[in-house]
Amino acid sequence: MNQQQGTIFSKIAMPIVIVAIVVYLICSAWVGIRDPYQFTVAYTDTMETSVDAAGWVVRSEQPVAGAEGVVQLKRGQGEKVAKGKEIAVVYQDETYVENQEELLQVKNDLSALQYATYSESPSGTALEDQMLSAMTSLRTAASSGNYSSLSEQTETYRKLVLRREYLLSSEATAAMTQAAADLQARYDDLQSYQSGATSIKAQESGLFSSYVDGYETLLTPDKLDGLSPKDLAAFSQLTPSTDANVLGKLVTDSIWYYAVTVPGDCVTRFAVGDSVDVFFNSLSETFPMEVFQVGEVQEDQVVIVLRSSQDDDKAEDLRQESGRVIFYSSEGIRVPKEALRVSKDGERGVYVVVSQKARFRPVKILAEDENSYLVKADPTDEEDTRILRAGDELVLASEELYDGKVVR
């Protein structure tokens, strides 16, 4: 019985639901046909004039050769290194690395004890004042989140505390004197093992990078002179090789180059000395660059060499890259072309919805593409409140509009 009731209900209810859906769709279509107004939202956007490009990044680089053994780098990625300064230390085995770590700790402890036991170190009121100052510096650094000098500040405070203990307790005086002598002996012993370490120093000043690709000596700025499209294409045929003992490289000049091939009909857009922006796909970032060299058009292609002096560690490892050269870029409010109107006073602008009525907002066109304009608000004076803003609801009308007309 229940099964029969369910079947009867399904037979009656399903047609009713289908009819309701059809009626709803017909009504919606009728309203859409009868209603002359459509609406969309204005939003902030950017338009640009650009050309796609692909090519090679070239810079002055020097590979840093190491040695066989356990390497301990002393420089971070993108860190500046002066000529003759240490880049890394190479040890014969792990024992030397462990000894080095212990040596640094012993050196710090010995320095603190030597300060505490030195007769010319502060005492009395001077010592208390210095301890208070050191404590205040630590508290300030901790509360502000500035930890750049925390280790040095902590070490200073430790030395002062040891100095006070040394002065107040005869037992501490004897213990520290003996500890200092023991640490000195251990330090001398560890130092004797350091003869097996090789120091790697910078032959030139530059920015250190641990990334090497073998092109450091193959692609140099002098290879860019008179570069043709075929010459640039031949870069991909080079065979880079990297020595297993190379620790990294030094970028020895802040100026770097991006040699690209673009269609020949774009050559008139480039002039030596012009400023452009270059978007690199691999970084999803834009760098300001200057047109350094414009080649000759050959087989509908031309090589453009761009130059930058922006010292950015993100650009250190760029090599074979694609992206686009941006000649012009503008930011404004994007509106559909059908939203643009001319008022009875001859003003160019758009209508927005305010309290169900159309209100005119004068605009100035910054750029355009096939379907839309990029505009900005263009009030007549400082007291003009007719300002178009991102997020305003625009009226797209198929019939005449005027300020104050009810559209909803």
Side-chain angles (χ1 to χ4, degrees):
M1 184 67 180
N2 290 336
Q3 185 175 359
Q4 292 179 347
Q5 288 179 344
T7 303
I8 295 173
F9 177 78
S10 299
K11 289 181 178 180
I12 296 174
M14 288 304 295
I16 294 175
V17 171
I18 293 173
V19 169
I21 292 174
V22 172
V23 170
Y24 172 78
L25 293 175
I26 293 174
C27 291
S28 298
W30 177 253
V31 171
I33 293 172
R34 296 286 297 170
D35 188 356
Y37 305 112
Q38 293 181 350
F39 308 93
T40 189
V41 176
Y43 60 92
T44 301
D45 201 2
T46 300
M47 284 188 184
E48 64 180 37
T49 302
S50 62
V51 60
D52 291 337
W56 294 77
V57 172
V58 178
R59 60 179 74 82
S60 298
E61 301 168 306
Q62 182 186 84
V64 178
E68 293 186 2
V70 180
V71 178
Q72 188 177 58
L73 285 174
K74 299 293 186 179
R75 304 293 176 176
Q77 188 75 5
E79 184 175 349
K80 292 183 178 180
V81 185
K83 181 178 180 180
K85 294 300 182 180
E86 191 172 66
I87 296 175
V89 178
V90 182
Y91 301 96
Q92 291 182 359
D93 52 42
E94 289 290 348
T95 303
Y96 286 95
V97 179
E98 295 171 1
N99 286 342
Q100 175 70 6
E101 293 174 353
E102 184 182 356
L103 179 66
L104 292 175
Q105 184 60 52
V106 170
K107 183 179 180 180
N108 288 336
D109 293 343
L110 180 59
S111 175
L113 286 174
Q114 287 175 336
Y115 179 87
T117 58
Y118 184 51
S119 60
E120 298 297 325
S121 294
S123 60
T125 304
L127 177 60
E128 296 298 327
D129 290 343
Q130 289 188 28
M131 289 185 65
L132 179 60
S133 176
M135 189 184 302
T136 302
S137 298
L138 279 170
R139 186 183 297 113
T140 302
S143 60
S144 64
N146 180 14
Y147 306 118
S148 59
S149 302
L150 188 61
S151 60
E152 293 85 352
Q153 292 170 333
T154 302
E155 187 63 26
T156 298
Y157 186 67
R158 183 169 78 118
K159 289 179 180 180
L160 293 170
V161 170
L162 288 173
R163 174 61 177 171
R164 185 172 64 175
E165 288 296 316
Y166 179 82
L167 294 175
L168 293 179
S169 170
S170 58
E171 293 181 0
T173 299
M176 289 184 191
T177 301
Q178 182 60 47
D182 294 341
L183 283 173
Q184 184 65 60
R186 181 56 180 161
Y187 181 79
D188 294 339
D189 186 43
L190 291 170
Q191 278 282 73
S192 65
Y193 288 101
Q194 297 306 301
S195 59
T198 302
S199 177
I200 308 299
K201 297 183 178 180
Q203 300 300 311
E204 294 184 48
S205 60
L207 295 180
F208 177 76
S209 173
S210 58
Y211 175 78
V212 290
D213 57 12
Y215 286 101
E216 288 76 21
T217 56
L218 296 177
L219 298 182
T220 55
D222 61 286
K223 300 287 180 64
L224 301 175
D225 293 337
L227 201 63
S228 69
K230 287 185 177 179
D231 295 333
L232 188 59
F235 283 3
S236 60
Q237 305 301 317
L238 296 172
T239 305
S241 60
T242 304
D243 192 308
N245 288 329
V246 170
L247 303 180
K249 67 185 178 186
L250 285 174
V251 180
T252 57
D253 196 331
S254 61
I255 296 177
W256 52 281
Y257 305 86
Y258 184 35
V260 299
T261 302
V262 299
D265 56 7
C266 297
V267 68
T268 55
R269 294 183 176 182
F270 295 92
V272 174
D274 282 356
S275 296
V276 295
D277 289 326
V278 179
F279 180 85
F280 289 95
N281 292 336
S282 62
L283 296 177
S284 296
E285 288 196 26
T286 301
F287 291 85
M289 302 192 77
E290 175 189 345
V291 179
F292 177 69
Q293 181 178 300
V294 179
E296 296 182 359
V297 178
Q298 298 180 11
E299 299 179 356
D300 297 325
Q301 290 187 317
V302 61
V303 172
I304 306 296
V305 180
L306 306 170
R307 177 174 66 179
S308 175
S309 58
Q310 183 170 331
D311 194 6
D312 194 316
D313 57 2
K314 294 179 182 178
E316 290 173 11
D317 302 331
L318 293 174
R319 188 63 76 190
Q320 189 174 11
E321 303 295 331
S322 62
R324 61 183 187 274
V325 180
I326 303 170
F327 304 101
Y328 171 80
S329 178
S330 182
E331 182 175 323
I333 299 175
R334 186 182 287 267
V335 301
K337 284 192 171 180
E338 57 266 35
L340 196 71
R341 297 282 178 143
V342 178
S343 71
K344 63 180 181 179
D345 298 324
E347 287 184 298
R348 181 180 292 172
V350 296
Y351 285 93
V352 302
V353 180
V354 180
S355 300
Q356 301 183 342
K357 295 181 180 180
R359 294 300 182 187
F360 188 75
R361 298 290 185 262
V363 299
K364 180 179 180 180
I365 297 176
L366 302 175
E368 67 176 293
D369 58 20
E370 184 178 353
N371 300 312
S372 57
Y373 293 109
L374 196 70
V375 303
K376 70 173 184 178
D378 189 28
T380 55
D381 52 47
E382 293 182 357
E383 297 181 358
D384 191 348
T385 59
R386 300 175 302 162
I387 307 296
L388 177 67
R389 294 180 173 84
D392 283 347
E393 188 175 19
L394 302 172
V395 182
L396 309 178
S398 59
E399 61 181 40
E400 185 180 0
L401 274 175
Y402 56 84
D403 196 70
K405 185 174 184 179
V406 176
V407 293
R408 283 200 184 279

